[in-house]
Amino acid sequence: MDKKPCKSQDVEVRKGPWTMEEDLILINYIANHGEGVWNSLAKAAGLKRTGKSCRLRWLNYLRPDVRRGNITFEEELLIMELHAKWGNRWSKIAKHLPGRTDNEIKNYWRTRIQKHINKQAEICSSQSNSELLDHQASTSQLPSNSTADFMETYSPSSFNHCNNIEAFPGGQQMTVESSNQESYWSMEDIWSMQLFNGD
DNA sequence: AATTACTCCAACCGCCATGTA
DNA sequence: CTACATGGCGGTTGGAGTAAT
């Protein structure tokens, strides 16, 4: 089922969640040989994954400098500011948040900030008249320029003199409450194991 | 205690840009 | 110049975990 024929040869390709073994293989290989052409890296490392998959796994999860969870209030503000400026240019935004990946920022935006914006819009629309409703309907997908509109109201600068902070995702806690205590292997675990195995 | 609804995030997909033969 | 391979990006989805009923 999760096998896909390759163009040139019938190589089985694994999909779905990465196992710890695969992680270790990838980490080990990159530690010894560095990043390279991902397709050939995948083959050379003996991983039955596409180069794309390896690249994604490495960049979003396995890199030693990746920070996950606990997005701070400052980071949240920066994300909103940069999103207002650039729209959904997640990789560009991620470059301004050391250790954060575009995927994480994108997820964070969608699950927390955008949701909050939609809520705010709902409140607004229930309070105001049909004029707003029309505008909302046309921007329900929240393209980048509607975010810019939103930022006029909720820009970081306006936060300084606005008491809406507690209404924001995460509220007064300012940080993501989801625990960092991974239920499975933490990256520290994996990296320490990698050091064990490394040559 | 069981079920349903919701949240969150890792991973995949498809498209586009760029590099190379 | 063209065709193909690869990388990078943004959008979307599946499923695990958690909260609510």
Side-chain angles (χ1 to χ4, degrees):
Chain A
M1 235 353 197
D2 55 346
K3 292 177 187 178
K4 191 172 82 180
C6 205
K7 281 174 216 157
S8 49
Q9 65 238 88
D10 280 339
V11 183
E12 61 170 332
V13 178
R14 263 186 59 81
K15 284 186 177 181
W18 280 64
T19 64
M20 197 185 67
E21 197 181 2
E22 288 176 309
D23 282 346
L24 285 171
I25 291 171
L26 184 58
I27 289 170
N28 256 321
Y29 189 89
I30 292 176
N32 291 326
H33 302 93
E35 297 175 37
V37 180
W38 288 104
N39 275 338
S40 43
L41 184 152
K43 276 181 205 156
L47 288 163
K48 296 184 171 90
R49 297 273 182 174
T50 63
K52 259 186 171 183
S53 180
C54 292
R55 175 185 162 271
L56 208 65
R57 182 65 177 172
W58 174 253
L59 292 179
N60 287 341
Y61 196 90
L62 297 175
R63 268 188 316 163
D65 58 328
V66 166
R67 290 160 57 211
R68 283 154 55 238
N70 287 328
I71 288 184
T72 65
F73 186 60
E74 284 79 18
E75 285 176 313
E76 186 176 312
L77 289 181
L78 189 55
I79 290 169
M80 288 194 294
E81 190 180 347
L82 296 178
H83 187 274
K85 211 191 280 184
W86 296 322
N88 296 357
R89 314 296 302 183
W90 304 116
S91 61
K92 201 171 175 181
I93 293 171
K95 280 173 187 143
H96 289 73
L97 290 140
R100 300 295 182 187
T101 68
D102 54 353
N103 207 31
E104 186 178 19
I105 293 170
K106 181 170 60 183
N107 279 332
Y108 185 75
W109 178 268
R110 287 181 59 83
T111 58
R112 291 160 193 266
I113 301 179
Q114 187 173 62
K115 194 174 66 187
H116 177 78
I117 292 171
N118 289 341
K119 246 182 203 167
Q120 287 291 313
E122 264 176 42
I123 292 168
C124 281
S125 68
S126 67
Q127 283 173 349
S128 59
N129 49 27
S130 56
E131 188 190 337
L132 244 176
L133 271 173
D134 289 344
H135 177 256
Q136 207 192 325
S138 64
T139 58
S140 60
Q141 284 299 98
L142 203 79
S144 53
N145 50 352
S146 72
T147 309
D149 293 343
F150 169 82
M151 289 303 294
E152 284 174 21
T153 315
Y154 293 103
S155 67
S157 55
S158 59
F159 271 113
N160 294 334
H161 39 285
C162 172
N163 286 338
N164 277 338
I165 290 172
E166 72 269 20
F168 252 75
Q172 287 165 317
Q173 291 173 323
M174 306 303 185
T175 55
V176 183
E177 75 276 22
S178 64
S179 70
N180 255 357
Q181 311 302 109
E182 312 279 65
S183 51
Y184 17 88
W185 297 91
S186 72
M187 283 312 298
E188 277 179 11
D189 293 334
I190 292 180
W191 273 96
S192 58
M193 291 181 75
Q194 191 299 113
L195 287 176
F196 256 131
N197 297 339
D199 39 20

